[in-house]
Amino acid sequence: MSTHAGAPAPAARIRNLLAASLAVAVLAACNREPAPADAPAAPATEAAVSDGSIHPDQWPELAWPVATDPAVEKRIDELLASMTLEEKVGQLIQGDIGSITPEDVRKYRLGSILAGGSSDPGGKYNATPAEWLALSDAFWEASMDTSGGGKAIPVIWGIDAMHGQSNVVGATLFPHNVGLGATRNPELLRRIGEITAMETRTTGMEWAFAPTVAVPQDVRWGRAYEGYSENPQVVAEFAKAMVEGLQGKPGAGDFLDDRHVMVSVKHFVGDGGTTNGRDQGDTVVSEAELRDVHAAGYKTAIEAGAQSVMASFNSFHGTKMHGHKPLLTDVLKDRMNFGGFVVGDWNGHGQITGCSNDNCPATFVAGLDMAMAPDSWKGMYETTLAAAKDGTLSMERLDDAVRRILRVKFLMKLFDAPRPSQRALGGKFELLGAPEHREVARQAVRESLVLLKNQGGLLPLRANQRVLVAGDGADNMSKQTGGWTLNWQGTGTTRADFPNAETIWEGIAGAVKGAGGQAELAVDGKYKAKPDVAVVVFGEEPYAEFQGDIQNLLFKPGNDGDLELIRKLKADGIPVVAVFISGRPLWMNREINAADAFVAAWLPGSEGAGVADVLLRKPDGSVNHDFKGKLSFSWPRNAVDAAVNKPGYQPQFAFGHGLTYADKGDLAPLPEASGIEGLQAPAGVYFARGQLAPGLSLQLEGAPGAAATRVTTVPAALADNSLAVAAVDHERQEDARRLTWSGAAPASAVIAAAPAQELTRETNGDLLLVLTLRPDAVPASGSVTASAGAGTPLPLRDTLAKLPAGQWTTLGIPLKCFAASGADTARLDTLLKLHSDAATTLSVSRVAIGAVSEAKHILACPTAQ
């Protein structure tokens, strides 16, 4: 394979033109920007192929822009020739700081470490910058220590930098990509990349797991906000800018220097095109769409010299990307001439058929160069070493992977660099949240805001009046910054964790008071003095990855509190500006109708004052900043049509829409029928408000062989009255069910699913089945159990006995407990079975998948003791 720089051959230039032509045609077919009139037609050989086959010759042939340095290649040759097999294998393995120590790196000579979304020095999400830097030094010193033998090969530390260096307290937090895409400003993005690189280097890390260049086609995907746009042209342009910002430009004197970091362009490929927007799901599209839509950002990123590409969790027509040789090797490395290395995602190799988290030579054979084995690194090291010894992993493939990794380390001059704290920016913590950096972030907020409604020209507001700021997002840094902020899901943080930041309320209050007006904060809208205008800030709670997946585009299903707040203020005669914080467009017709003005603010990050800059006039009454943002994702007409590439898709507001103050902002009332029937609940909520989710049923089961009773109305009971169910009240009328076992005979209450539920991701992600329950009567003896699928029942009686009797609480059962008991969490037809052979009474108001933080009590699983 070629990794040399040079101009593409004439045939390659023709191929690139044809590929670009097809991309335009695909976009036009998908109701995006119209194809130029002079665009040539796509060739017949580019016809859609839907069987999952890959034809590398139909992909663009690129020129790798990083010139070969003979001196570097000579050093690589010499080092490779002197390395033991164990040292070579060590370079292929990456462990997470939550599961690996500097001593482990010293012993196993591993090539890389990472800090995952919730991995921090000392296990503290709010560890200080100094603690991060000290740990960087410790790992570097371990990798360079040859006192016990071995070569001094510097370890490289990778870390997620999703919207700035968002793991470190005090860093500048930019809007998430969904907002940056709305700016349509690639030069701004380049500057954001430069700042992110500098702030990352202050604490010693050299490698950012960014940018995400997914092209989300269904915003039910919980990672949609990591994508710049549904439009591949926007993504391609932004990918180039961000790569050059983070790394510098190939050929320039500062390329990959101490003020820059290497990138991981992710996730290759098709993560934004999975069926139903399911995270880690299957992307079943044509090869042409995979290439021209989902791979659009990789072409420009490679041309910009991206040093690593991260393989994706998703499959392509059933084949996991971590094991997809035609795409990882034949297309990415051979055809597209990618000269960096391919790194895996969090134990993604373990999802390949025939592999496990700690044993997967197949992933390296397919083309992965470095396995992200966060908590499985030792097993992966040992099994990969065995595979190299027995020939399962060829020496040629092993050497190629090691060469690629070493080349990046040499290009970054890490072999000649001192420890991280002694490098150019090491310890310069004044750069974290520096005023000039925050000003760039504030600009990004201003330019990302999209105005969807401005009835009667309400905006911009006079700043010298009485302004009420309401809503649970107004003074809430966690909602404002979203997921991947100080921890994986972005939850559990406090205001003190953001010393270099302003909430939206703080930004508005400062501007209003500075102009001689009065600002009042009342989250619930209960003002002390009637305001002239109200700004209601509300939106999604923080989330990341699959925990953010949703079944439809409803906002807070079953909870209309924000809508009621807007309507209440309007009923008081107060004009209302709605500011919506979210990681994606959602069906908001009722809220848009209720408000006088509606602003999509996305996830703005640390600079809430950027919102005030646009909403409020200057003290002299002139416009301060106009709206510039344009939708990077089309806005849904209802809560059902989520896939933008679905034939006939008609959005409420098209891609590219966005008002300015010069536009007439009046909007006719929008239809308020969501298109959703039945239980309106987020994904993973199985029972709530007295209803089961679609596809689920409640059954009462008695003695083996006896007929089960399917509960369609309450009250209901088994024929022998061993188990009865009735409606009771918790938060509203008859929103819960009371289960009463008489003790006369064993019986079970079962929540059954048809079709079966697939909860593999949730199980791997340490989620729980969380029951909101009230233990009314717990027996002193006998068997009370919980089970799922065909798993062995888990003892529940002792745990229930310790709960406050007669009081509502939450109890979490780890999904891993169900899996360890024998339940197949990939196919659960029984989501929950509550069984008792003694007199027992339990009331249950909610059953849902949730995080540890959502359960006040957690069942201790027998298999984990």
Side-chain angles (χ1 to χ4, degrees):
M1 64 189 66
S2 172
T3 58
H4 301 282
R13 290 197 295 271
I14 294 172
R15 168 61 61 190
N16 293 346
L17 175 62
L18 294 178
S21 300
L22 180 63
V24 172
V26 170
L27 294 180
C30 293
N31 294 315
R32 298 184 181 91
E33 293 178 338
D38 58 350
T45 55
E46 300 286 350
V49 178
S50 300
D51 61 359
S53 59
I54 294 296
H55 304 81
D57 64 333
Q58 294 181 12
W59 289 66
E61 186 175 16
L62 307 180
W64 180 239
V66 183
T68 300
D69 185 337
V72 167
E73 297 303 315
K74 183 175 184 294
R75 292 182 70 180
I76 295 173
D77 289 340
E78 292 172 348
L79 181 55
L80 262 177
S82 69
M83 292 172 70
T84 65
L85 188 61
E86 289 77 6
E87 289 171 333
K88 289 180 179 180
V89 169
Q91 289 299 303
L92 274 58
I93 308 300
Q94 182 183 61
D96 181 78
I97 64 170
S99 304
I100 196 169
T101 65
E103 186 55 39
D104 292 324
V105 169
R106 182 177 285 106
K107 178 179 178 180
Y108 291 93
R109 318 307 295 174
L110 301 190
S112 179
I113 58 168
L114 80 144
S118 292
S119 298
D120 308 276
K124 300 183 298 183
Y125 80 90
N126 56 356
T128 66
E131 288 172 315
W132 281 98
L133 184 58
L135 193 58
S136 295
D137 276 353
F139 276 110
W140 178 87
E141 289 166 0
S143 69
M144 302 301 284
D145 183 358
T146 60
S147 61
K151 311 296 183 303
I153 302 176
V155 70
I156 188 167
W157 184 335
I159 190 167
D160 290 288
M162 307 296 284
H163 57 130
Q165 185 34 269
S166 51
N167 301 273
V168 178
V169 170
T172 307
L173 300 175
F174 299 95
H176 274 287
N177 288 356
V178 63
L180 295 180
T183 69
R184 300 297 202 277
N185 188 343
E187 288 306 312
L188 173 62
L189 202 71
R190 192 186 314 277
R191 180 63 180 142
I192 290 172
E194 293 170 350
I195 293 170
T196 300
M198 286 191 287
E199 296 199 11
T200 299
R201 281 289 199 159
T202 66
T203 50
M205 288 75 79
E206 309 98 343
W207 181 7
F209 295 147
T212 299
V213 297
V215 189
Q217 301 296 286
D218 189 327
V219 295
R220 288 177 295 180
W221 185 36
R223 303 191 77 160
Y225 67 81
E226 295 182 38
Y228 295 115
S229 178
E230 70 186 34
N231 183 297
Q233 293 172 320
V234 172
V235 174
E237 189 173 24
F238 275 40
K240 178 178 185 291
M242 182 56 87
V243 169
E244 291 181 346
L246 288 166
Q247 293 191 161
K249 293 185 179 181
D254 63 353
F255 180 60
L256 293 176
D257 70 0
D258 275 4
R259 301 178 68 85
H260 292 89
V261 295
M262 66 170 284
V263 303
S264 266
V265 187
K266 62 185 189 181
H267 308 85
F268 190 83
V269 62
D271 49 348
T274 59
T275 301
N276 297 325
R278 184 172 176 78
D279 189 53
Q280 303 182 23
D282 197 10
T283 302
V284 186
V285 300
S286 69
E287 181 182 11
E289 183 173 340
L290 184 73
R291 179 195 64 215
D292 299 322
V293 175
H294 298 289
Y298 294 95
K299 176 182 181 296
T300 53
I302 291 170
E303 290 175 331
Q307 292 298 299
S308 78
V309 165
M310 184 179 290
S312 182
F313 280 120
N314 72 280
S315 305
F316 180 61
H317 287 263
T319 301
K320 283 289 182 180
M321 285 304 309
H322 278 69
H324 206 302
K325 186 176 184 294
L327 284 167
L328 292 182
T329 297
D330 301 342
V331 167
L332 179 61
K333 292 180 175 179
D334 292 349
R335 180 64 179 180
M336 298 178 76
N337 287 324
F338 170 59
F341 68 84
V342 179
V343 65
D345 206 340
W346 190 277
N347 280 329
H349 54 272
Q351 298 184 10
I352 300 172
T353 301
C355 287
S356 65
N357 287 353
D358 56 8
N359 188 355
C360 192
T363 194
F364 298 113
V365 173
L368 200 78
D369 299 306
M370 181 183 288
M372 185 184 289
D375 52 0
S376 58
W377 60 268
K378 188 174 181 180
M380 274 295 283
Y381 171 85
E382 292 171 344
T383 56
T384 304
L385 180 60
K389 288 180 177 179
D390 68 19
T392 303
L393 176 60
S394 71
M395 190 57 62
E396 179 183 13
R397 174 77 270 269
L398 176 61
D399 281 352
D400 173 61
V402 177
R403 177 179 293 276
R404 287 171 175 271
I405 295 166
L406 294 178
R407 182 180 291 115
V408 173
K409 293 182 178 183
F410 276 115
L411 286 174
M412 296 189 75
K413 298 181 175 57
L414 296 181
F415 281 88
D416 306 312
R419 67 191 53 184
S421 61
Q422 296 177 358
R423 297 173 192 171
L425 300 183
K428 294 188 179 298
F429 302 139
E430 66 273 15
L431 292 174
L432 295 170
E436 60 270 26
H437 294 179
R438 292 185 60 191
E439 181 51 45
V440 174
R442 186 166 174 172
Q443 176 190 349
V445 174
R446 290 196 297 264
E447 296 189 15
S448 67
L449 302 176
V450 178
L451 179 62
L452 297 179
K453 178 182 180 180
N454 192 20
Q455 208 77 6
L458 175 63
L459 294 174
L461 303 174
R462 288 185 296 106
N464 60 348
Q465 58 183 327
R466 186 182 295 274
V467 179
L468 172 71
V469 182
D472 64 3
D475 196 31
N476 190 325
M477 286 303 305
S478 293
K479 293 190 76 160
Q480 189 172 309
T481 55
W484 296 105
T485 304
L486 298 184
N487 60 58
W488 181 31
Q489 295 291 324
T491 57
T493 58
T494 69
R495 180 66 183 86
D497 295 326
F498 302 92
N500 300 322
E502 278 189 304
T503 65
I504 293 173
W505 150 249
E506 290 166 345
I508 292 176
V512 169
K513 293 175 182 177
Q518 294 178 296
E520 179 183 351
L521 174 66
V523 170
D524 59 4
K526 296 178 180 179
Y527 47 82
K528 297 176 182 177
K530 185 175 181 180
D532 299 309
V533 67
V535 178
V536 178
V537 187
F538 64 103
E540 292 187 289
E541 296 299 326
Y543 57 83
E545 300 212 32
F546 57 81
Q547 292 192 36
D549 284 7
I550 53 177
Q551 293 176 321
N552 53 59
L553 300 182
L554 291 173
F555 168 63
K556 285 186 178 178
N559 183 346
D560 294 337
D562 302 297
L563 176 62
E564 293 169 359
L565 173 58
I566 296 171
R567 287 174 172 171
K568 172 64 170 61
L569 292 169
K570 284 289 293 178
D572 289 350
I574 302 167
V576 174
V577 178
V579 177
F580 183 50
I581 298 174
S582 74
R584 52 197 157 200
L586 294 171
W587 182 74
M588 302 296 296
N589 285 13
R590 298 179 303 167
E591 290 83 358
I592 293 173
N593 285 343
D596 296 283
F598 192 92
V599 178
W602 314 113
L603 299 170
S606 61
E607 304 312 310
V611 176
D613 289 342
V614 181
L615 298 189
L616 299 172
R617 295 178 181 272
K618 292 180 180 180
D620 65 5
S622 62
V623 173
N624 190 7
H625 291 276
D626 202 345
F627 280 91
K628 292 185 177 181
K630 304 298 179 184
L631 289 179
S632 54
F633 291 85
S634 50
W635 200 277
R637 182 175 297 271
N638 54 50
V640 179
D641 297 330
V644 300
N645 56 6
K646 181 180 178 181
Y649 173 73
Q650 291 293 325
Q652 187 71 63
F653 302 107
F655 166 84
H657 178 77
L659 301 171
T660 68
Y661 284 136
D663 297 320
K664 182 175 177 58
D666 290 354
L667 188 66
L670 303 175
E672 296 194 0
S674 71
I676 300 291
E677 298 180 0
L679 175 63
Q680 297 184 358
V685 176
Y686 302 128
F687 174 73
R689 302 186 306 282
Q691 297 184 67
L692 287 162
L696 304 185
S697 63
L698 175 63
Q699 299 177 12
L700 307 183
E701 297 179 354
T709 296
R710 182 181 176 116
V711 178
T712 55
T713 60
V714 289
L718 288 171
D720 62 358
N721 284 318
S722 58
L723 176 58
V725 58
V728 293
D729 300 342
H730 178 200
E731 295 179 334
R732 61 182 69 183
Q733 185 176 359
E734 297 189 349
D735 65 339
R737 297 291 179 263
R738 183 177 63 228
L739 300 168
T740 303
W741 286 264
S742 68
S748 304
V750 178
I751 297 179
Q757 296 282 310
E758 199 281 301
L759 296 178
T760 304
R761 301 166 307 149
E762 290 82 353
T763 303
N764 293 339
D766 293 320
L767 295 187
L768 318 174
L769 187 67
V770 180
L771 284 68
T772 302
L773 53 75
R774 183 181 65 194
D776 298 314
V778 180
S781 62
S783 175
V784 181
T785 63
S787 60
T792 301
L794 303 171
L796 192 61
R797 183 179 59 82
D798 290 350
T799 299
L800 291 175
K802 295 176 182 177
L803 301 181
Q807 296 181 29
W808 288 99
T809 189
T810 50
L811 173 65
I813 305 175
L815 294 178
K816 283 187 174 177
C817 296
F818 287 136
S821 75
D824 180 6
T825 56
R827 186 174 175 78
L828 282 178
D829 53 7
T830 297
L831 290 174
L832 177 66
K833 176 186 284 190
L834 295 174
H835 174 88
S836 180
D837 61 8
T840 308
T841 304
L842 289 178
S843 296
V844 181
S845 68
R846 192 172 189 267
V847 180
I849 300 297
V852 171
S853 60
E854 298 176 52
K856 293 181 180 178
H857 308 276
I858 298 177
L859 182 69
C861 307
T863 54
Q865 292 177 340

